[in-house]
Amino acid sequence: MTEYDFPECTSFGSVIRFALELEKAASNVYDELAGRPNLASAQEPLKALSETHRKRSELLEHTRREKLNEMILEPIQDLDSSSYVVETEVPEGLDMAGAKAFAGKIEETSSRFYVDSSKTAQSLLAEAARILDKMGKENEAIKAKLESL
Amino acid sequence: MALLPEVKKDYGRIKNYVNGEWVESTSSKDLDIENPSTGGIIGKVPMSTADETKAAIEAAQDAWLSWRETPPITRARIFFKLKELIEANFEDVARIMVQEQGKTIDEARGETRRTIENVEVAAGIPSLMMGYNLEDGAAQGIDEDAVISPLGVFGVIAPFNFPAMIPYWFWPYAVASGNTYIVKSSSQVPLTQWYLFSLIDKAGFPPGVINLVNGSRDVSDTMMDHPHMKGISFVGSTPVARYIYKKCGENGKRVQAQGGAKNSLVVMPDAVLNRTVSNMLASFYGCAGQRCLAGSNLVAIGDVAEPLIEKFVEASKRIRMGYGLDENTNMGPVVSAKAKEKVIGYIDGAEADGAKILIDGRGAKVPGYEKGHFVGPTVIDGVTPDMKIAQEEIFGPVVSYLRMDSLDDAIDFIHKNPFGNAASIYTQSGRHARDFRYKVQAGNIGINIGIVAAMAYFPFAGYKDSFFGDLHGQGRDAISFFTDRKVVITRWF
């Protein structure tokens, strides 16, 4: 079982770390669902959703390296990360509806995290804030895709 | 949260890099390299001898003639390669920096980015180094050209607070413009440069073009005395900057010597308080106050004083201290036990002078890091301009809170201080901002920004006792420092 380490969000680095954990969790959940025999008909789209989240991790790594400006590296004091921790252990015996509900919850929570953290990140860097905000909106699009399966 | 892994636990005894080779120093004197967060010893740095320094300078001199004949575009390509190498090892550079200096991983990543930015700007050397000319400039039929030429061997004597970036304010510009170079990194934090030299080694610089000599005063003095050395760049304290400026002047060398600072952040009644407080936290507590651009005096104008101090104290209490490899950490330790003792001495002095300690970082403890040199965020109210704490550089996370009636009073206070490194104003008034930037005698001015750190394509400036010299590090200033203008007047019969 993959271990996740969702940190408190007190700095730019820890916000990005939290986001990376969310992406890793989402990607692994879709992989897990894609491997279930009873969901074989949706295997390809589920794998594609996993790949989408893996690519988003790359974008986050890039943001951490390229968009960080130490001149405005302010502490983050108003983001309660505990409300964005997601369930990562996929229950046994999920049918398609259950799978959608389980993964959809991750997308919803992630979307909320990105939108809220983008507001916080505005004090750090507008560009980082835009990326986080865009990722939050993408979660909604991913959820719509998931529901259409 | 789990700590990010350390790159190594023990780096052993580091070597010098001379003439394209890693060389063991023959010195019998080593210093321990301490991790300031844990108090553990993570390596040893040799105090290289004068003869070893001379050998590096001679190798650089030998390399110079063919290096200056290397076309600028070819020189630039090696910098592109170096950029790739640093990018590929970005995280290791940042983590080594955290291990030896104590800053947070975010700060170290930010510093690594700035290091790379200097390489990127220096890679533009074919454009940056162009001269100028004027047809018929001397007389009819007589043209005049100014050609920009490199001069020879230069060197940097670097400080402990920015182990990666500060040598990169200088050497990429020097080497890109056709000079050769000696880096003497701080003996407190030599590992980051040592690691960066392992990347330099792979980038393709010819032997002798760029050299690393670890050590202390013997190395510095040899660099300043040696006839082949054309100039020295220095960043550190004002007394040492003054000494280096004088010694290099006596020896006929170019010099740019960045000294200490005592930076004031002025908050006007119309400032946006939440954003202001958040930004000021980074200035006062970032790098545990060990930036030459760190805020030190917080000057409140008029009736903003009470709401400002209330918010600032509240936010300061929430700064999380710890080992910088924990990504949740907002502030690491100061660099050494001696540095901690000095900072505490200033807080003791302010208390004895009658100031009121609102938040006291003297007894700070971080569980699990009892041997670390932590000083907590400290806010001191009731500071008056005549107090030592308002006048001298502390280099720790200490905020001296002063209350004044007007912007003119604040500017007058800033001007009475011998330093002139940086000053910032927080306001929504264009008029106040304009007055501040126009009147204040400091090299780096912030408007709603508390850390006025010039980007690589701008000079890192400094006035008064904060800088000795004419041309600064980074960008075009650096190119001018490392080159001279040769005038050619041409007539064809």
Side-chain angles (χ1 to χ4, degrees), chain B residues 270-316:
Chain B
D270 63 353
V272 180
L273 272 196
N274 286 343
R275 297 291 296 271
T276 294
V277 167
S278 178
N279 188 256
M280 289 194 306
L281 293 175
S283 179
F284 285 104
Y285 304 134
C287 297
Q290 300 169 110
R291 280 189 173 107
C292 46
L293 293 171
S296 187
N297 290 325
L298 172 46
V299 182
I301 305 298
D303 58 11
V304 78
E306 283 310 318
L308 174 63
I309 192 68
E310 194 179 311
K311 279 181 186 290
F312 191 83
V313 164
E314 185 53 38
S316 297

Side-chain angles (χ1 to χ4, degrees), chain B residues 18 25 32 126-127 144 149 153 188 196 220 229 237 252 275 291 315 323 361 371 390 446 450:
Chain B
V18 176
S25 170
D32 287 335
S127 303
E144 189 160 352
S149 303
V153 187
Q188 283 181 287
L196 284 165
S220 307
M229 294 294 298
S237 70
R275 297 291 296 271
R291 280 189 173 107
Y323 189 8
K371 290 183 180 169

Side-chain angles (χ1 to χ4, degrees), chain A residues 8 10-11 17 65 77, chain B residues 87 114 318 320 327-328:
Chain A
E8 287 180 60
T10 56
S11 64
R17 172 69 53 198
R65 283 176 48 161
Q77 301 194 322
Chain B
E87 293 280 10
R114 282 184 173 266
R318 295 164 68 192
R320 184 185 292 218
E327 285 181 310
N328 284 126

Side-chain angles (χ1 to χ4, degrees), chain B residues 6 35 37 67 86 132 145 148 175 190 211 380 388 421 432 489:
Chain B
E6 293 174 336
N35 180 328
S37 300
W67 182 242
I86 304 177
Y132 46 97
D145 302 62
I148 296 179
V175 170
N211 305 274
I380 307 176
K388 195 172 164 184
N421 207 43
H432 286 143
I489 298 178

